[in-house]
Amino acid sequence: MAANVRNIARRAGVSTATVSRVIHKSDSVRPETRRRVEEAMAALGLDPADLVRGTRSGSKVIGVIIPDLSNGFFAEVIAGIEPAAAEQGFSLFICNSRQSDQEEIHFLRLLQKAQVSGIIITPNSDDDDSINNEYLNLLSNMRIPIVLVDRDVKYSNLDGVFIDNRRGAYEATRLLLENGHRRIAAICGPMDTVPGRDRLTGYRDAFAAAGLPVEEELVYYGDFSVESGEAITRSILRRRPDVTAIFPANNLMTLGCLAALTRTGRRIPEEMAVVGFDEVVTLEMLGIALTVVDRSTHEMGRQAMKLLARAMGRKKGDHPAQRVILTPELKIRGSERYCKEKKETAAEGSKGE
């Protein structure tokens, strides 16, 4: 906020005090000076309502609550929030709930007590009604603008930025089906989260669109952790050696899946095709070309801060909830080429029999 006021003052050739008087509609500013300041705000693309909100707020802090700071996805979202917040003079207070509903409630109360200007939160879950009632009661009484990222809060009417998880999982599974795979194991996330449920639905959608049944024994449930991805992959290799492809439904489970395949000597993609959900930065650094469903994490953070800035300029409840749904991108890199070759080889072999 302070930086914005300084920029306006510099462009209009006035003091920051004059800018403050203009945005608060003081009568002590000459019409010509007021005009120059308003033109400067327009040229810089700044909303006077947001500026009023910023100067009236006693806090220059935005609270950010995420469920797992070790997950690179959330670190990237924060990297998108931070510059957007800094442009308006805000700093971030990061809270890691460690995937605990009670920790989230603790941090919400802490941020309320600290009188932060706004909160951006990724809830741990959305399907526990007893916890959800406590959430909703707390959120409705906080009188602090709140924006959700990635996950929703059941029964809430909050602004939020989300991804089309269902579409992303559909595209990943469809790619594998189109390249000849039929026994595709899905390592899903928790069913008490929207991403967990929607990505499983997308997996099922792809089979339905292809006119094929889903083999329920190939649907596994993890917890979005490396450990669950590795343990489930080992179980797949032991119990279902006929599986030719795996779809892990988040980046950490993808890492666990790849670790299990590597440690058991399976070559990727020659002996197992893998399409993951979310980029895994470490794989890029190692030169591993993995096809993934990619979300624009920086954009999610930027959009969340944009919604929060708007909300901070209005009275709570005086506008309908704004929901931004971003479309993921399927980044095809290498594994699909092998799948095609495998399909063609199989077809040639059948002709020779």
Side-chain angles (χ1 to χ4, degrees), residues 90-103:
F90 289 97
S91 56
L92 304 184
F93 185 88
I94 310 298
C95 304
N96 182 14
S97 68
R98 297 178 179 83
Q99 303 190 57
S100 164
D101 296 322
Q102 292 300 334
E103 280 291 293

Side-chain angles (χ1 to χ4, degrees), residues 310-325:
R310 289 176 180 173
M312 289 189 293
R314 302 182 178 96
K315 291 182 180 179
K316 188 174 182 180
D318 70 353
H319 69 290
Q322 297 184 30
R323 297 294 176 102
V324 176
I325 310 295

Side-chain angles (χ1 to χ4, degrees), residues 73-221:
F73 166 77
F74 295 113
E76 291 294 315
V77 171
I78 292 171
I81 296 171
E82 195 280 329
E87 284 179 4
Q88 302 183 54
F90 289 97
S91 56
L92 304 184
F93 185 88
I94 310 298
C95 304
N96 182 14
S97 68
R98 297 178 179 83
Q99 303 190 57
S100 164
D101 296 322
Q102 292 300 334
E103 280 291 293
E104 284 180 24
I105 291 173
H106 164 72
F107 283 127
L108 284 169
R109 288 176 173 153
L110 178 67
L111 294 173
Q112 180 184 34
K113 187 175 181 180
Q115 297 183 325
V116 297
S117 296
I119 296 173
I120 297 174
I121 179 173
T122 298
N124 181 54
S125 67
D126 74 333
D127 209 31
D128 185 330
D129 284 345
S130 61
I131 292 294
N132 230 274
N133 289 335
E134 192 170 0
Y135 262 137
L136 291 175
N137 289 335
L138 180 57
L139 297 179
S140 62
N141 293 322
M142 289 186 73
R143 297 182 181 179
I144 297 173
I146 297 174
V147 172
L148 305 172
V149 173
D150 190 45
R151 303 179 190 175
D152 209 342
V153 174
K154 194 175 181 181
Y155 310 126
S156 75
N157 188 36
L158 298 171
D159 293 344
V161 180
F162 308 99
I163 197 75
D164 191 342
N165 289 289
R166 184 172 178 175
R167 182 70 187 182
Y170 169 84
E171 294 292 348
T173 308
R174 185 182 70 168
L175 177 68
L176 291 168
L177 288 168
E178 287 180 345
N179 285 284
H181 295 283
R182 292 297 177 265
R183 293 183 177 86
I184 305 168
I187 305 179
C188 304
M191 291 296 103
D192 64 350
T193 66
V194 171
R197 294 193 299 272
D198 284 356
R199 292 173 198 174
L200 173 57
T201 300
Y203 168 85
R204 295 184 185 281
D205 287 347
F207 276 89
L212 298 169
V214 172
E215 191 173 345
E216 295 300 330
E217 288 184 1
L218 297 183
V219 177
Y220 298 83
Y221 300 93

